[in-house]
Amino acid sequence: MPTINGERLLGDLRRLAEFGKYKTGVHRPTFSPQDIEARHWFMGRLKDAGLEPVLDGIGNVIGYSKAPGKKMLTGSHLESQNHAGWLDGAMGVIYGLEAARAIAEDPATAQLGVDVAAWSDEEGHFGFFLGSRSMIGVLGEDEIDRAVDRTDGRSLR
């Protein structure tokens, strides 16, 4: 049975909390320097876990399993609401990563594939669920063209 490495999991959560650290939480708005830095760090963690990290055109980071056959997909988001809690989104992404690592490390389950996603803009700085909607093909170019940051008016493009 796969075993979660609690020390590794908590270490990743604590490291991720450093990107945009604010008081007891984080401030990591979508596509801010802190969010971009966190996405690049996460890509490295995916690669270290044996997953193939991909940054797509809307900013989603997805770690693809190299296992054959069907895959399970898990994840959440890395960006935060303004001045928010440090586990919102991060917990789903890092727990997904740890599950993928644990499954791959156990000989009884190593053949099972787990893909891990960190969707972009799930917190709605530029729209609503842009990353996950893009992934399933329901985000149009016209909506991307109209998308602006709700706090400062920056265009998504």
Side-chain angles (χ1 to χ4, degrees), residues 118-142:
W119 309 118
S120 65
D121 202 40
E122 297 299 281
E123 288 292 357
H125 289 92
F126 289 91
F128 67 97
F129 305 114
L130 297 185
S132 55
R133 290 190 310 120
S134 172
M135 182 73 177
I136 62 170
V138 297
L139 179 67
E141 292 291 324
D142 59 330

Side-chain angles (χ1 to χ4, degrees), residues 59-131:
N60 293 322
V61 174
I62 304 167
Y64 290 100
S65 170
K66 296 173 185 167
K70 294 181 179 182
K71 314 290 189 295
M72 179 179 82
L73 174 63
T74 185
S76 193
H77 57 91
L78 294 173
E79 82 275 354
S80 73
Q81 285 290 339
N82 295 333
H83 312 107
W86 68 287
L87 292 174
D88 179 32
M91 190 175 232
V93 172
I94 300 301
Y95 272 64
L97 172 60
E98 184 55 30
R101 291 186 290 214
I103 288 167
E105 291 167 355
D106 187 314
T109 57
Q111 78 285 359
L112 302 175
V114 179
D115 295 338
V116 182
W119 309 118
S120 65
D121 202 40
E122 297 299 281
E123 288 292 357
H125 289 92
F126 289 91
F128 67 97
F129 305 114
L130 297 185

Side-chain angles (χ1 to χ4, degrees), residues 22 26-30 80-85 125 149-151:
Y22 177 81
V26 296
H27 181 69
R28 201 168 44 235
T30 304
S80 73
Q81 285 290 339
N82 295 333
H83 312 107
H125 289 92
D149 187 305
R150 62 182 159 83
T151 59

